[in-house]
Amino acid sequence: MMESSLIELLSTEYIHNAIDSDENMPNLFEESPYYNDNEAIELLKHKHNAFSILSLNCQSLQAKFDQLKIYVETFVNSLCPFSIIALQETWLTENHDISLLQLEGYTLLHKPKSCSAHGGVALYLRGNHEYKTLTINSESNTWDGIFVEVVLNCSNFRNTQKIVIGNIYRPPRETVASYELFSNEIQTVMNAHLGSYREVVLTGDFNLDLLKIGQSAKINDFFETMTSNGYLAKIVLPTRITNTSATLFDNCFVKLSNNFSKTTAGILNYNISDHQPYFITLDYLITKSENSKYIKIFVNNEQAKESFKNEILINCTPDKFQSIVNQDPNITYDILDSIIQNSLNKHLPHKLVKYDKYRHKKEHWITQGIIRSIRFRDKLYCKLRSTAVYSPLYNKYKVNLQTYNRILRNNIKLAKKKYYYDCFEKFKNDMKNTWTTIKNMVNRTQQKDDYPKYFLVNELPEYNQKIIADNFNKFFIDIGLKLANTITPPKNKSYKDYLVNTIHTTFKFNCVKEDCVKKTIDILKPKSSSGIDRISNKLVKLIKDEISGPLTIIVNQIIKTGIFPQKLKVAKVIPFFKKGENYLFDNYRPVSLLPSLSKVIEKIMFNQLYEYFNENNLFFDSQYGFRKQHSTELAALELINNIVTKMDLNEIPLNIYLDLSKAFDTLNHDILLDKLNHYGVLDNSLLLLKSYLSDRQQYVEFGEVISDFRLIETGVPQGSILGPLLFIIYMNDIVYACKKFKPIIYADDTALSATLNSFYNNNQNYVSEINNELTSVNDWFQLNGLSININKTKAMLFYDPRKKVEEIKLKINNSDIEFVTEFNYLGIIFDSNLSWNAHINMISRKISKSLCVMNKLKNVIPTNIRLTLYNTLILPHINYGILAWGSRCHKLFKLQKRSIRQIANVKYNAHTDPIFKQLSLLKISNLCVLQELKFIFKLKNKLLPNYYLDLEYLRHSDIHSYDTRYANRLIPLGPI
């Protein structure tokens, strides 16, 4: 009945945080399902403190009034009346007698038709709301609209709350000129007339089918215009369904502040016209959570940290640490750990104390000075309350309180502004933390730390936190183990069959000096999180000089004995909610926190092992994961270059995108150690890596309780530094499982690249040849204890759309591989003819999402911070992969201009050339040239992966003498 692309877009693509990754950002959209009358009534009955709107294209109000009246009375009699009823295509003129169209309890407001014979809009407003009609007229008569400011009376609001309801009808005019007039006018309405309002709902029949997002430039532009101005779509399913089509012309866009806790939207199955009515409820009941009587505090002031540091210095004397390199490092580490733990407990303790609003600040920007001011303000209030109203001092105290309160509020605003200013400056090169700061600023943080009261254990609700914690731990550990046990490797084969390259070098870990340990500590990220030892990276940096000596002894003992300290092999795991039902373990992901000192030791081991593999060219060239001068972008560009090169030779490239199930969790330790031995890791070095992997444990911290410890039997340590390197070593020999496919890999993201022509062999069935090759690849994965997820594995053919290509069927494990025309590989969307339209549409949506955020913050943050947000939230999306799709970058230029207007805080149609110069920003076309120049610089200076060093580049003008637009653009040649 409809394409699923819109639902996927609105439920997964358009998220607030990132990047992308989007798991750090809350969802901006909820699916709007269909409801019958009874379902809608039951839903609305529970919305006692909600403002609800019904919207319908009635196609002549006069003809449908009796039906509408009966329908509205159904809801009114069920004690769930709509606050607003918005109607489009009323067909009413100025001469109509509207007294015949009144609904009991409602006031009818309408605008006569002007844009077409079937135009006209109306609003029925319930009589218990004050309202004011806004004067907004269409100069071009391309649409009809009525806008009303409604005053909401709710005890939860400190001040009078106003919301604007806009009801719009745009006739189905498909000309570009008609749409541009409408687009310009609606942009003016949103900026000039509605810009000062925090709460706006725009409803109506726009005759712009949102189901065609990604297919129509006009629809894309409309959607991006609404989103970048802070308006979010609430209806995502078809509202007009016929035997041959399903369209979404009836749209609802909202711009709401945090005064509204939730919105619920749905489509009603009621046959009043060929458009289905829809409703939206705005819940403006704000529930305040009760303050906990007790809170956990962390002593973390400068004086306490200095005392902690001095305590470490006094106790970490050379006589306490024997520098015998063959001594068991567990003994030496226990001594150091005991000193640190005792010092922590003494100077930086964790305390559970009774909450005091005058001592414990709830927001980061609240200073001790502000807390003292709050205490003084409350004393003024108490003095006023204890003074009789008729006393001559009462007015004096009242004025004093009002004046002081006003000054205090201003100071809090300034403190908050400065705090976020500093945050944005601090995180200007960190997209993830920038998004976190934005979520905090606009109060969109989801309460993921608030676990439900119960979880389902064996299909029964369990309330005991200790039992829940134990089941979480069991669930996380069993995921990889159960999957590994289901893998059946092929008989008469071994993973050793693929270790065919002869290695003439050997590796051993070398002892280090104290300077090396200090430098390793310096490069740690200054995180505040900590593992079981309660020592964060920040604390390790604080006591770097005091512990570097003992830590050097421990590192060298680890290297000499091949023993990794047991205390450093315990992971603290915290469950983080993803999505879905919050009482199911499946909907949580584990975040593993290892001891910080473990990361120092791991980093030293990582550097030595990585250097050995890199210097001896032991890595597979097209493995781009966790390697210097390698990236996801370069991996995708290699794949693109392979495709383009083959298409230029009139061949048909074939890509298979493999998806692995829990690859990091199912990795087999014995196989990994055997492979390390094959690559020359011997003796104590191999024993050390075996010790590092074995006898590892983890526990789950769930609220205030912790689970029992459990042994981890498979996989590389999550959250570790050494783990990712060990994983790419594990994947290194996959190349020998491929005879005609070329693997291009980033960690476990594997793409197999070939052409159909390469499988033609003496007129044999080339499909059978491809399937044989895929069987060989699948055998490699199974022999290595890894599993291909066939449901998420996809295949693509690349060819000129004018060329006819026969359908082929490929299989893995007797399961068909789905062929797709688009696939997102490492953040770049490939389409079958490399038009890049899908990728550019994705970038457009992401930029629009960022513009939506910037629009919310533009009056709160200064220009330089808006510029920082541009560089953090928008520019990375433009730069990523621009070498591939940059020839079509003009499509994004409109959005880029819109973004710099927001930075400069100028009118929506202001000329942008001066702003680009003023802000020292490059246009997208210039950014494309800049990235090409950077690429050539890296190429000439051998700063790129080996694959690119074998390429040769020519300009178009070197091939032909025509004066074309891209005559000076570089094109790669080879390798074939």
Side-chain angles (χ1 to χ4, degrees):
M1 184 173 63
M2 67 164 290
E3 298 183 11
S4 62
S5 59
L6 180 71
I7 299 176
E8 292 171 358
L9 162 69
L10 299 185
S11 61
T12 59
E13 289 278 6
Y14 249 79
I15 49 182
H16 221 318
N17 189 267
I19 113 268
D20 268 86
S21 223
D22 317 22
E23 63 190 22
N24 298 304
M25 311 176 212
N27 221 332
L28 296 186
F29 295 90
E30 298 174 0
E31 188 173 333
S32 48
Y34 295 98
Y35 292 87
N36 61 39
D37 292 350
N38 292 332
E39 291 171 336
I41 287 171
E42 285 303 311
L43 173 69
L44 294 172
K45 274 184 178 179
H46 300 287
K47 304 284 185 179
H48 301 299
N49 292 294
F51 185 82
S52 57
I53 303 167
L54 174 71
S55 181
L56 169 67
N57 183 312
C58 61
Q59 296 176 333
S60 177
L61 174 58
Q62 197 163 3
K64 308 289 177 58
F65 178 70
D66 290 340
Q67 285 179 269
L68 176 67
K69 185 177 180 181
I70 294 171
Y71 192 61
V72 171
E73 286 176 349
T74 300
F75 284 84
V76 172
N77 294 333
S78 301
L79 300 179
C80 52
F82 294 103
S83 308
I84 295 276
I85 300 171
L87 304 175
Q88 305 89 41
E89 280 200 68
T90 61
W91 301 11
L92 298 179
T93 65
E94 292 182 355
N95 300 323
H96 267 98
D97 184 2
I98 63 171
S99 62
L100 302 175
L101 303 174
Q102 299 293 338
L103 291 175
E104 185 177 354
Y106 287 87
T107 300
L108 173 58
L109 310 172
H110 83 105
K111 183 176 180 182
K113 58 184 181 181
S114 61
C115 62
S116 75
H118 290 178
V121 290
L123 288 174
Y124 283 98
L125 176 65
R126 281 192 67 81
N128 58 345
H129 291 292
E130 298 179 26
Y131 70 91
K132 179 178 72 175
T133 303
L134 304 182
T135 304
I136 300 175
N137 295 315
S138 168
E139 297 177 0
S140 60
N141 290 329
T142 58
W143 57 284
D144 288 335
I146 183 170
F147 298 83
V148 176
E149 174 194 288
V150 181
V151 178
L152 303 179
N153 299 314
C154 179
S155 59
N156 289 289
F157 297 141
R158 293 182 180 178
N159 303 313
T160 302
Q161 189 65 33
K162 298 177 181 178
I163 183 170
V164 172
I165 308 298
N167 187 22
I168 294 170
Y169 172 71
R170 173 185 172 271
R173 293 171 181 162
E174 301 303 325
T175 64
V176 174
S178 171
Y179 168 72
E180 287 182 349
L181 280 173
F182 170 73
S183 178
N184 290 334
E185 289 193 2
I186 203 69
Q187 180 88 357
T188 302
V189 169
M190 290 188 293
N191 284 272
H193 298 283
L194 307 180
S196 61
Y197 289 95
R198 301 178 65 197
E199 331 288 353
V200 183
V201 176
L202 297 182
T203 181
D205 179 1
F206 293 80
N207 272 298
L208 292 164
D209 185 6
L210 286 190
L211 298 185
K212 291 184 178 178
I213 286 179
Q215 304 172 30
S216 165
K218 179 172 63 177
I219 303 299
N220 288 350
D221 180 76
F222 170 67
F223 188 72
E224 290 159 6
T225 297
M226 301 302 294
T227 307
S228 61
N229 281 281
Y231 289 83
L232 310 178
K234 297 305 298 182
I235 301 297
V236 299
L237 297 178
T239 56
R240 186 172 182 271
I241 302 170
T242 68
N243 292 332
T244 58
S245 67
T247 53
L248 177 49
F249 290 141
D250 305 287
N251 310 136
C252 179
F253 293 90
V254 301
K255 180 179 76 170
L256 300 171
S257 71
N258 298 301
N259 289 323
F260 293 88
S261 58
K262 187 179 179 183
T263 60
T264 303
I267 301 167
L268 296 164
N269 290 319
Y270 184 68
N271 187 23
I272 194 171
S273 71
D274 62 354
H275 292 250
Q276 299 295 109
Y278 66 80
F279 70 91
I280 178 171
T281 68
L282 315 177
D283 299 346
Y284 55 89
L285 175 63
I286 302 175
T287 56
K288 297 181 180 179
S289 58
E290 295 181 3
N291 291 329
S292 175
K293 292 182 179 180
Y294 292 91
I295 62 169
K296 184 184 288 186
I297 66 166
F298 308 90
V299 177
N300 197 29
N301 56 63
E302 292 302 319
Q303 183 180 353
K305 286 192 287 188
E306 193 61 33
S307 299
F308 168 71
K309 188 176 179 181
N310 291 333
E311 185 83 15
I312 298 290
L313 178 62
I314 293 170
N315 288 284
C316 281
T317 54
D319 59 294
K320 293 186 178 179
F321 299 93
Q322 296 184 12
S323 57
I324 303 172
V325 293
N326 291 322
Q327 179 173 290
D328 187 343
N330 281 294
I331 298 172
T332 313
Y333 179 77
D334 285 345
I335 296 171
L336 178 61
D337 184 55
S338 177
I339 292 171
I340 295 176
Q341 294 302 321
N342 290 335
S343 302
L344 273 174
N345 293 332
K346 184 176 180 180
H347 300 288
L348 299 173
H350 295 182
K351 297 180 180 178
L352 194 66
V353 299
K354 193 171 183 179
Y355 177 75
D356 183 350
K357 69 176 182 179
Y358 297 126
R359 291 176 54 209
H360 307 128
K361 59 182 183 178
K362 298 187 71 175
E363 304 292 353
H364 296 291
W365 57 82
I366 300 296
T367 63
Q368 290 300 318
I370 290 176
I371 291 177
R372 287 194 296 270
S373 297
I374 291 172
R375 182 194 291 267
F376 184 75
R377 179 204 60 188
D378 291 349
K379 286 181 179 179
L380 290 178
Y381 178 73
C382 291
K383 185 181 287 187
L384 177 66
R385 290 293 301 271
S386 61
T387 304
V389 177
Y390 50 80
S391 169
L393 293 175
Y394 184 84
N395 286 333
K396 177 183 176 182
Y397 291 159
K398 185 177 180 180
V399 171
N400 288 345
L401 176 61
Q402 290 173 341
T403 303
Y404 194 85
N405 205 25
R406 183 171 62 251
I407 295 171
L408 177 59
R409 284 199 304 268
N410 290 335
N411 286 338
I412 292 174
K413 287 180 181 178
L414 289 173
K416 183 177 180 180
K417 195 170 184 177
K418 182 182 183 304
Y419 168 77
Y420 283 118
Y421 178 92
D422 293 340
C423 285
F424 284 125
E425 279 294 312
K426 180 181 178 181
F427 301 131
K428 60 184 177 183
N429 296 318
D430 186 339
M431 183 180 288
K432 180 179 178 180
N433 279 310
T434 297
W435 270 115
T436 301
T437 304
I438 289 170
K439 288 194 300 178
N440 290 332
M441 197 168 185
V442 299
N443 291 328
R444 281 194 175 272
T445 50
Q446 293 179 331
Q447 300 300 317
K448 292 189 178 182
D449 296 333
D450 296 336
Y451 298 113
K453 293 182 179 180
Y454 71 91
F455 279 80
L456 287 187
V457 178
N458 297 324
E459 299 184 358
L460 295 174
E462 179 58 64
Y463 294 86
N464 185 289
Q465 287 198 335
K466 178 65 168 62
I467 296 176
I468 292 172
D470 287 337
N471 277 274
F472 254 127
N473 202 22
K474 181 178 184 299
F475 171 74
F476 289 144
I477 286 180
D478 287 353
I479 287 177
L481 195 59
K482 286 181 178 178
L483 183 59
N485 292 334
T486 62
I487 299 171
T488 305
K491 296 180 180 179
N492 303 321
K493 287 187 177 182
S494 169
Y495 65 88
K496 294 182 180 181
D497 298 341
Y498 302 93
L499 300 175
V500 296
N501 55 332
T502 304
I503 309 298
H504 300 287
T505 55
T506 59
F507 168 80
K508 68 173 184 177
F509 289 110
N510 295 317
C511 292
V512 299
K513 295 182 178 180
E514 190 172 336
D515 286 346
C516 175
V517 173
K518 287 184 177 181
K519 289 179 181 177
T520 304
I521 293 174
D522 285 337
I523 62 176
L524 289 177
K525 294 181 179 179
K527 293 184 177 180
S528 300
S529 56
S530 61
I532 188 174
D533 59 354
R534 299 184 299 145
I535 308 170
S536 66
N537 287 2
K538 281 187 176 180
L539 279 183
V540 172
K541 286 175 170 289
L542 178 70
I543 57 176
K544 174 188 68 173
D545 295 329
E546 287 73 22
I547 66 170
S548 57
L551 195 55
T552 303
I553 294 172
I554 293 169
V555 171
N556 291 333
Q557 288 176 347
I558 289 171
I559 289 171
K560 283 295 183 181
T561 62
I563 299 172
F564 200 85
Q566 193 63 37
K567 282 187 176 180
L568 295 178
K569 295 193 287 186
V570 179
K572 178 175 78 173
V573 175
I574 300 175
F576 269 74
F577 178 64
K578 296 182 294 186
K579 60 181 180 179
E581 300 294 347
N582 63 355
Y583 52 80
L584 298 177
F585 295 119
D586 285 332
N587 295 331
Y588 288 79
R589 64 179 179 88
V591 173
S592 180
L593 299 174
L594 295 172
S596 293
L597 292 182
S598 168
K599 294 183 179 180
V600 177
I601 300 167
E602 285 186 58
K603 188 62 179 177
I604 292 170
M605 294 170 63
F606 176 97
N607 289 340
Q608 294 188 21
L609 187 60
Y610 178 85
E611 186 178 354
Y612 166 74
F613 270 80
N614 202 47
E615 287 184 351
N616 293 284
N617 294 317
L618 299 179
F619 286 122
F620 167 51
D621 278 349
S622 293
Q623 168 60 270
Y624 287 82
F626 314 113
R627 299 175 63 188
K628 294 176 183 177
Q629 299 175 359
H630 291 65
S631 66
T632 55
E633 182 179 24
L634 290 174
L637 288 176
E638 178 183 340
L639 188 58
I640 292 166
N641 189 55
N642 287 345
I643 296 168
V644 172
T645 303
K646 301 302 181 183
M647 290 181 74
D648 287 344
L649 295 173
N650 205 28
E651 297 187 18
I652 300 176
L654 167 67
N655 281 2
I656 311 291
Y657 305 102
L658 301 177
D659 184 88
L660 302 184
S661 299
K662 303 292 181 181
F664 282 76
D665 294 320
T666 60
L667 179 146
N668 185 288
H669 292 169
D670 292 333
I671 295 176
L672 172 60
L673 292 169
D674 212 4
K675 289 188 177 186
L676 287 166
N677 184 59
H678 167 78
Y679 289 116
V681 182
L682 309 174
D683 304 329
N684 270 10
S685 297
L686 189 64
L687 285 175
L688 173 54
L689 290 169
K690 181 178 181 179
S691 174
Y692 171 78
L693 291 167
S694 61
D695 297 324
R696 300 193 74 92
Q697 294 179 303
Q698 77 174 40
Y699 69 95
V700 166
E701 184 176 275
F702 180 75
E704 299 298 326
V705 303
I706 64 172
S707 70
D708 295 335
F709 285 48
R710 285 177 64 96
L711 192 66
I712 305 171
E713 299 181 34
T714 61
V716 294
Q718 299 296 311
S720 65
I721 291 176
L722 195 55
L725 174 60
L726 296 177
F727 183 83
I728 65 172
I729 293 172
Y730 194 81
M731 291 281 293
N732 204 42
D733 57 299
I734 188 177
V735 63
Y736 298 107
C738 305
K739 296 178 181 178
K740 296 182 179 180
F741 276 119
K742 167 71 181 296
I744 298 173
I745 313 171
Y746 187 90
D748 62 333
D749 285 307
T750 305
L752 303 178
S753 178
T755 64
L756 293 185
N757 309 60
S758 63
F759 290 95
Y760 295 144
N761 186 13
N762 298 325
N763 295 323
Q764 292 182 4
N765 186 344
Y766 69 95
V767 176
S768 177
E769 290 288 318
I770 299 173
N771 284 328
N772 289 338
E773 179 92 347
L774 289 174
T775 299
S776 175
V777 173
N778 186 52
D779 287 348
W780 182 93
F781 281 109
Q782 291 186 329
L783 290 167
N784 284 274
L786 302 175
S787 174
I788 296 177
N789 184 346
I790 192 64
N791 293 325
K792 293 184 179 180
T793 294
K794 307 298 178 186
M796 279 187 72
L797 291 173
F798 297 86
Y799 51 89
D800 189 303
R802 293 168 296 182
K803 183 181 293 187
K804 186 176 180 180
V805 177
E806 64 178 302
E807 184 178 340
I808 62 176
K809 287 189 176 182
L810 303 182
K811 294 178 179 290
I812 293 179
N813 273 346
N814 295 319
S815 299
D816 290 338
I817 300 175
E818 181 187 0
F819 272 85
V820 294
T821 56
E822 295 176 3
F823 189 82
N824 189 329
Y825 181 67
L826 299 176
I828 295 180
I829 298 182
F830 291 67
D831 57 76
S832 56
N833 55 11
L834 295 186
S835 69
W836 304 116
N837 289 333
H839 182 73
I840 290 171
N841 288 336
M842 179 186 73
I843 298 174
S844 298
R845 295 193 293 269
K846 290 185 176 182
I847 292 176
S848 297
K849 170 200 64 180
S850 298
L851 289 176
C852 171
V853 174
M854 290 175 63
N855 186 65
K856 281 180 171 290
L857 303 178
K858 67 181 180 182
N859 295 320
V860 181
I861 56 179
T863 301
N864 63 323
I865 299 300
R866 291 198 291 271
L867 184 59
T868 298
L869 290 180
Y870 169 83
N871 290 326
T872 307
L873 304 179
I874 294 177
L875 194 57
H877 294 308
I878 295 174
N879 280 331
Y880 186 77
I882 198 171
L883 290 174
W885 53 265
S887 60
R888 299 176 182 272
C889 60
H890 57 277
K891 292 185 177 182
L892 294 172
F893 188 41
K894 182 176 180 180
L895 278 174
Q896 189 190 29
K897 290 194 292 184
R898 189 177 294 165
S899 66
I900 69 156
R901 289 186 185 113
Q902 284 199 7
I903 297 171
N905 205 8
V906 297
K907 289 183 64 177
Y908 72 91
N909 57 356
H911 188 43
T912 55
D913 280 351
I915 306 176
F916 276 107
K917 292 179 181 178
Q918 176 189 346
L919 298 175
S920 300
L921 294 176
L922 293 176
K923 298 178 181 179
I924 290 185
S925 56
N926 296 328
L927 286 171
C928 185
V929 174
L930 177 63
Q931 291 300 318
E932 287 180 354
L933 293 174
K934 285 183 177 180
F935 184 85
I936 297 302
F937 174 83
K938 291 179 180 178
L939 181 68
K940 295 297 183 183
N941 290 278
K942 300 187 181 303
L943 299 175
L944 290 173
N946 290 339
Y947 169 83
Y948 294 94
L949 301 182
D950 296 332
L951 294 179
E952 295 181 4
Y953 284 83
L954 292 177
R955 298 183 184 275
H956 284 279
S957 56
D958 297 328
I959 300 174
H960 58 72
S961 59
Y962 304 113
D963 185 18
T964 61
R965 179 183 300 175
Y966 303 114
N968 293 319
R969 177 150 293 179
L970 291 164
I971 56 173
L973 298 176
I976 306 299

Short mmCIF file of all heavy atoms in Angstrom, two decimals, residues 45 122 158 408 599 770 850:
data_model
loop_
_atom_site.label_atom_id
_atom_site.label_comp_id
_atom_site.label_asym_id
_atom_site.label_seq_id
_atom_site.Cartn_x
_atom_site.Cartn_y
_atom_site.Cartn_z
N LYS A 45 -9.21 9.26 25.87
CA LYS A 45 -9.78 9.31 27.23
C LYS A 45 -8.69 9.48 28.28
O LYS A 45 -8.93 10.02 29.35
CB LYS A 45 -10.58 8.03 27.52
CG LYS A 45 -12.03 8.09 27.05
CD LYS A 45 -12.75 6.82 27.46
CE LYS A 45 -14.22 6.88 27.04
NZ LYS A 45 -14.93 5.64 27.43
N ALA A 122 -11.07 26.32 7.59
CA ALA A 122 -11.86 26.69 8.76
C ALA A 122 -11.28 26.03 10.00
O ALA A 122 -10.61 24.99 9.92
CB ALA A 122 -13.32 26.28 8.58
N ARG A 158 4.03 28.33 34.49
CA ARG A 158 4.20 29.48 35.38
C ARG A 158 3.60 30.74 34.75
O ARG A 158 3.05 31.58 35.43
CB ARG A 158 5.69 29.71 35.64
CG ARG A 158 6.34 28.59 36.45
CD ARG A 158 7.79 28.90 36.71
NE ARG A 158 8.42 27.84 37.49
CZ ARG A 158 9.69 27.82 37.84
NH1 ARG A 158 10.48 28.82 37.47
NH2 ARG A 158 10.18 26.83 38.55
N LEU A 408 18.91 37.51 40.51
CA LEU A 408 19.34 36.12 40.60
C LEU A 408 19.02 35.36 39.33
O LEU A 408 19.86 34.59 38.82
CB LEU A 408 18.67 35.46 41.81
CG LEU A 408 18.95 33.97 42.01
CD1 LEU A 408 20.45 33.72 42.19
CD2 LEU A 408 18.18 33.43 43.21
N LYS A 599 44.34 0.16 30.30
CA LYS A 599 44.43 0.80 29.00
C LYS A 599 45.84 1.34 28.73
O LYS A 599 46.30 1.37 27.59
CB LYS A 599 43.39 1.91 28.89
CG LYS A 599 41.96 1.39 28.91
CD LYS A 599 40.96 2.50 28.74
CE LYS A 599 39.53 1.94 28.73
NZ LYS A 599 38.51 2.99 28.57
N ILE A 770 29.84 -17.94 -9.14
CA ILE A 770 29.76 -16.94 -8.07
C ILE A 770 29.36 -17.62 -6.77
O ILE A 770 29.93 -17.34 -5.70
CB ILE A 770 28.76 -15.82 -8.44
CG1 ILE A 770 29.19 -15.09 -9.70
CG2 ILE A 770 28.63 -14.83 -7.27
CD1 ILE A 770 28.17 -14.10 -10.22
N SER A 850 20.28 19.19 11.47
CA SER A 850 21.19 20.07 12.20
C SER A 850 20.70 21.51 12.16
O SER A 850 20.82 22.25 13.14
CB SER A 850 22.60 19.98 11.60
OG SER A 850 23.11 18.67 11.71
#
